[in-house]
Amino acid sequence: MKPSDGTGEVAGGCDQAAAPAAPVLPGCHPDPSVCRVGDDHYLITSTFEYFPGIPVFHSRDLVHWRPIGHVLDRPAQVDLGGVASSEGIFAATIRHHDGLFWVITTLVGGTGRNGTFVVTATDPAGPWSDPVWLDDAPGIDPSLFFDDDGRAWCTGTRLAEPGEWDGQTDVWLREFDPVAVALTGPEHLLWRGALHGAVWAEGPHLYKVDGRYYLLAAEGGTEHRHAVSVARADHVTGPWTGNPANPVFTHRHLGRDFPVVGVGHADLVHTAAGEWWAVLLGSRPYGGYHPNLGRETFLVPVTWEDGWPLFAPGVGTTLGPFAPPAVAGPPAEPYREPARDDFDGPALRPSWNQVRTGPPFWSLTARPGHLRLPLGAASLADTATPCFLGRRQQHQRVSVSALFDVAPRSPGEWAGLAVRQSEADHLVLAVAGDGRGGRRVLAAVREHGVQRVVAEAPLPAGGPVVLRIHAEGQRLGLRYAPVDGPEPGETELTAVDGGFLSSPRAGGFLGVWFGPYATAHGAASAGVADVDWFDYRPLTP
Ligand code: 6LW
C-alpha cells in the first residue's frame, strides 16, 4: 500500500505496481459494480447500515478511483431506521443506458420500507432520483441488463424453496420495462450455482459478448469459500450451460494464510481500448485470520478463451503482477484526501458516514471550526442512530487521533473515538465522568454484546484532550494526552488486540469504521462534545 508521503495527504487507493496484492479500493468496499461511458468508468459498492449510502467512484484507468458522490444521500430516499449491522443496502448494480445511469439494489431489514428498488441519474455524481420500489423482485443482489435489441432484463437471487440443501439459491430473470420501471412477463430460473451443493449463487450479472449471453455469479458464500462462476446461453432466457472449468476464479483453495482471501462477486467491464477487466471483492487478513478492513475492491484482467472469460490469465489470483489497463492520456493521479479534518468547511467531507438515517445530530456551526456531537441517549450498542461519525479503516497500520473538548457530568457520559464493527462489537476510547464531578479516560471493549471497561485513568477536570488509536496491525494502542500540541506527551492507557472487530470473529459482512462518538448511555443529557480536529494518518513502514 502507498503510505502517507509526508504531505499530510492520504492516498485513497493503492499503488498496484508497488503492492500487487493491493486492492484498488482499500477498506470496506464490497460487491463492486462497474460501468463504462466512453473513456470513463463508474463504480459503486454496498454500504449496509451506513449513510450516505452507495459511494460512486470515477476512474479513467480502473486503478485510480476518485469518489464523486453517493447514490443515496437524502434520508428521503431510504429509511435505514432499525437496520441492524450488516443489514441495509446490499449489493447494488450500476449500468448506463441511453444517457441514463441506473442503480438497482436491495434494502434488507429495518423498520422502514425495504426490498428492491431502482434509482436513476443523468450525472453519476448525482442527484439520484427517489427510489422506484419493485415489490415483485424477490431476494437480493438485483442486476439490470440492457440488451442490444432494445429489451432490458432484471436478475436477482433468492433462496430456493424448497431447497435441496441449506443456502441453495435461485438466480431468477424477468424482463424489465425501463419506461414503467417495472418487471414484466414471466419469471425464468437461470442458475443455481455451478457445483452440486453450491451455496449462495448470488451477485448475478448478465452480459452479451459476440452474440452470446453470459451470466457471472458468485457462489460459496461471501466469506472464505467465495468464488466466481460463469454460464452462457444463446438466448437470455436459457437454456444456460455452466463453464466446465467452474468456479473460474477463487482463492478458496489457497488457505487462510494467503494474503487475499474470499474473492468473488465480480462485475465485468469492456474498456474503450477493447480490454476486459473484472472488479471483485476480496479481504486481506492480518494478525491472524482478521480482515478488519472488510471486503475490499480488487481488479483483475480478463481475456477470452474458447468463448469463456478467463480471469487473471496465467496467474489465477488477485496478486498479479498484471500489466495495467491500456488507457489514452496521461497516467491518473491517485486520489488524495487531507489526513486532517479541521471541520472548517460548511459541510462534512463525503468520507464521513453516520450509522442509519435519522434526524441530523451533529453541527459544524454551533462552534465554528469544530464538529459538535451531543451526548445522545443512543449508544453504539443500539439499533438507533448513535452520535457517531466514522470513516472506513483503509490501512492496517494507521494512527487515528482527535482533539476533544468535553465536560462529562456522569460516569455514563462518554465522548471519544470509537472503532465500530457492529452493535455487538466495537471499541471505545473516551473521556467520561468519574462520578465525583471530575473526568477520567477509559477504554471499553464490547465483544459479542458484552461491554467491559478494560482500563481507565484520571484526567484533569477541564481542558482539551487528544485521544489516539495507534494501530500497528492488530495491536491497537489506546493513548491520551490532556493537552493540545503537535506532539503532546501521550500516555498509553492500554493496548487491545483488534482481531475481535473482524467479521470472522464478530460475524456480519463489514470492515470497521473509525470516528468520533458521544453518548450518555440511555440518559437524557444536555452535554456536548466538540471535536477540534480529526486525523487519520497511515503509518510509514
Ligand atoms: C451481498 C451478497 C452477499 O448482497 O453478501 O453473502 C451480501 N452474500 O452477495 C452483502 O455484501
Side-chain angles (χ1 to χ4, degrees), residues 30 40 47 92 133 157 174 211 216 226 237 295 308 317 320 341 367 380 410 412 429 491 517 520 522 528:
D40 298 300
T47 43
W133 296 86
T157 296
R174 284 186 67 195
L216 208 61
H226 216 24
T237 53
R295 298 172 302 158
W308 292 107
T317 73
D341 193 339
R367 182 170 170 190
L380 283 173
S410 73
L429 172 65
T491 304
Y517 167 51
V528 295

Side-chain angles (χ1 to χ4, degrees), residues 196-376:
H196 184 77
V199 296
W200 295 106
E202 61 190 6
H205 294 305
L206 289 175
Y207 313 87
K208 194 177 201 175
V209 182
D210 291 338
R212 272 203 282 215
Y213 296 92
Y214 290 85
L215 171 70
L216 208 61
E219 71 183 60
T222 194
E223 295 88 10
H224 192 76
R225 288 186 282 273
H226 216 24
V228 180
S229 62
V230 62
R232 75 182 176 202
D234 292 329
H235 303 280
V236 71
T237 53
W240 285 86
T241 309
N243 185 341
N246 276 328
V248 288
F249 196 68
T250 184
H251 288 191
R252 59 166 62 146
H253 55 301
L254 296 169
R256 294 190 193 276
D257 292 333
F258 203 66
V260 182
V261 299
V263 303
H265 205 121
D267 196 8
L268 294 177
V269 61
H270 192 200
T271 69
E275 294 178 344
W276 288 86
W277 290 82
V279 292
L280 74 173
L281 68 80
S283 300
R284 294 175 295 165
Y286 60 103
Y289 190 71
H290 300 135
N292 289 40
L293 276 55
R295 298 172 302 158
E296 311 176 278
T297 291
F298 291 80
L299 177 73
V300 298
V302 172
T303 56
W304 292 80
E305 208 171 89
D306 301 329
W308 292 107
L310 192 59
F311 289 73
V315 177
T317 73
T318 59
L319 264 50
F322 308 120
V327 274
E333 282 293 305
Y335 170 73
R336 289 174 180 278
E337 183 171 326
R340 175 159 293 198
D341 193 339
D342 280 309
F343 303 112
D344 287 334
L348 278 181
R349 284 191 199 158
S351 49
W352 288 110
N353 295 145
Q354 67 182 64
V355 183
R356 309 182 186 91
T357 45
F361 57 84
W362 47 268
S363 171
L364 291 170
T365 54
R367 182 170 170 190
H370 294 71
L371 170 70
R372 172 162 290 182
L373 296 178
L375 299 175

Side-chain angles (χ1 to χ4, degrees), residues 31 57 110 124 200 205 352 500-501 525:
D31 310 323
F57 298 90
W200 295 106
H205 294 305
W352 288 110
F500 78 98
L501 295 165
S525 169

